[in-house]
Amino acid sequence: MEKGTFQDVNAKVVQRCREGDNRAQYELYKLYSKAMFNVSMRITNDYAESEDVLQEAFISAFKNLHSYKAEASFGSWLKRIVINASVNAVRKRRSELVPLEDRIAGDIPDEEYDDDAEWQVEQVRRAIQRLPDGYRVVLSLYLLEGLDHAEIGDVLGISESTSKSQYSRARKKLLEIMKDTHSMA
Amino acid sequence: MKDRLKEFVNENREDFDMFEPRPELWQEICTELKVQKALEEKPRKEAKVISINFGERLNFTADFMFMRVAATIVLLLACGITLWMVKQNAPTPTNSLAVATETAGQPSVYQVAPELAEVEVYYTSQINSKREELSEYDLKVLGLDETRQIDNELARLDSSYTRLKNQLQTTPNTDQVMAAMIQNLQIRIEVLNHQLEVLKKIEAIKEQDTTEPKNNETTTI
């Protein structure tokens, strides 16, 4: 019920945007720019690049608003644009997001590093930032952007199982980083 | 398998969004949107089509490119016709005086003899008014065909005037040449004056001839 009314409010603003209303465009920007900027930040790990992605994504969203069919919420539609633009930005600076040796889905031992951990958001966030590009992208998409492995496979052009194994490696690496920083502190 | 990390992130989802873009970014997006809008509208304008329907049989479509070409052709035609008309109306060089035509061609002459310009203006106006006076008489009706002779005489004087004018630039004795030129102009006026006098006399005689028989007629009746 709550979700329904929220979509209705958005639908009106989206319609005004379609008619080229600049104020409606700003309303959507205010509503989504921060969340979308952080999505891009997690994928690109670069402030300037994320701004470029955000600009590019909003412009392309306003231009292609006619292709948005209100099947999903405007937010998730926009998020997909931001994710694709961010992944492209990372691809530009590095040809392979997922290294070839990692593409073979192998068994990763499920060592649980997290049993004793008292996590803090800031600590996890910093650790994610320290991950290499390939790991960080898969982990962010799965953990924070809520994509499943099939969707991640689509976005990155890899198989679902590769996404799964890549996530496991990334997760393991992340916990290692957190343990290191914790013991160092 | 439970993923405690995933659970933790889901619980604290909001707190992970800690970055914010620069506030100026919206302005940059706005300008970019305007630029793209302008770019989109440009080709649309050019592709605008005027279509005129004459019933159902004749369908005449013309785009702006065609209209531009048509306008250019019309403009060129108009220019051409105007030029042609001007050329047709322009006086033939034989009718004009060397005095008048030379003025534009040789400005250096007036540097040698600055008073010449004034002299020329005075005499050419005189000559032209005499000529106009002459043209009012219908020479053929008056039974005179010697006008050609006068024209020849005037043309000869004109050519000698041109020769003198050229001499003016080379000769050190400008005063003598100037005097000759003025004399040349005076002769022309004299020739024209003489012709006018002759014509006036002839006209007077003819008028007498036509009025006298009329008087005779009235007396007989």
Side-chain angles (χ1 to χ4, degrees), chain A residues 89-97 132-134:
Chain A
V90 180
R91 277 224 178 94
K92 252 178 228 166
R93 64 177 183 220
R94 203 175 282 193
S95 52
E96 287 298 326
L97 254 183
D133 279 349

Side-chain angles (χ1 to χ4, degrees), chain A residues 111-176:
Chain A
E111 290 172 66
E112 286 299 314
Y113 286 89
D114 52 39
D115 39 14
D116 61 330
E118 273 285 313
W119 290 323
Q120 279 173 339
V121 170
E122 187 58 18
Q123 180 200 9
V124 176
R125 202 187 55 72
R126 281 181 191 279
I128 292 172
Q129 273 192 296
R130 289 179 59 190
L131 284 172
D133 279 349
Y135 283 167
R136 192 188 61 249
V137 171
V138 174
L139 185 124
S140 294
L141 290 178
Y142 183 76
L143 275 186
L144 286 135
E145 316 317 339
L147 271 64
D148 62 33
H149 287 298
E151 288 171 319
I152 294 170
D154 273 352
V155 170
L156 298 180
I158 55 174
S159 70
E160 191 182 333
S161 54
T162 307
S163 174
K164 267 183 194 161
S165 67
Q166 190 72 8
Y167 170 69
S168 299
R169 287 171 213 264
R171 188 176 178 278
K172 189 180 161 199
K173 182 82 183 161
L174 182 82
L175 295 175
E176 272 173 17

Side-chain angles (χ1 to χ4, degrees), chain B residues 172-219:
Chain B
N173 208 343
T174 46
D175 284 14
Q176 250 181 25
V177 179
M178 273 286 285
M181 284 169 85
I182 291 165
Q183 210 186 0
N184 177 298
L185 292 164
Q186 280 168 342
I187 291 165
R188 292 192 222 192
I189 292 168
E190 263 173 54
V191 168
L192 289 166
N193 271 338
H194 183 71
Q195 179 70 3
L196 270 171
E197 264 173 53
V198 171
L199 287 169
K200 269 176 194 166
K201 269 183 197 165
I202 293 168
E203 205 181 38
I205 293 161
K206 281 224 165 182
E207 251 173 55
Q208 267 187 352
D209 282 351
T210 48
T211 46
E212 266 169 21
K214 255 188 185 175
N215 288 341
N216 290 342
E217 268 178 54
T218 46
T219 46

Side-chain angles (χ1 to χ4, degrees), chain B residues 7 53 74 89 111 134 137 151 154 158 165 167 200:
Chain B
E7 275 171 21
N53 284 307
V74 168
N89 288 341
Q111 281 166 10
L134 259 175
Y137 293 95
D151 280 342
L154 287 174
D158 208 36
K165 208 171 181 178
Q167 264 181 33
K200 269 176 194 166

Side-chain angles (χ1 to χ4, degrees), chain A residues 47 51 114 142 144 167, chain B residues 3-4 6 13 20 22:
Chain A
Y47 193 91
E51 279 203 338
D114 52 39
Y142 183 76
L144 286 135
Y167 170 69
Chain B
D3 190 340
R4 271 198 63 204
K6 176 92 177 162
R13 183 63 190 75
E20 276 196 61
R22 284 175 300 129

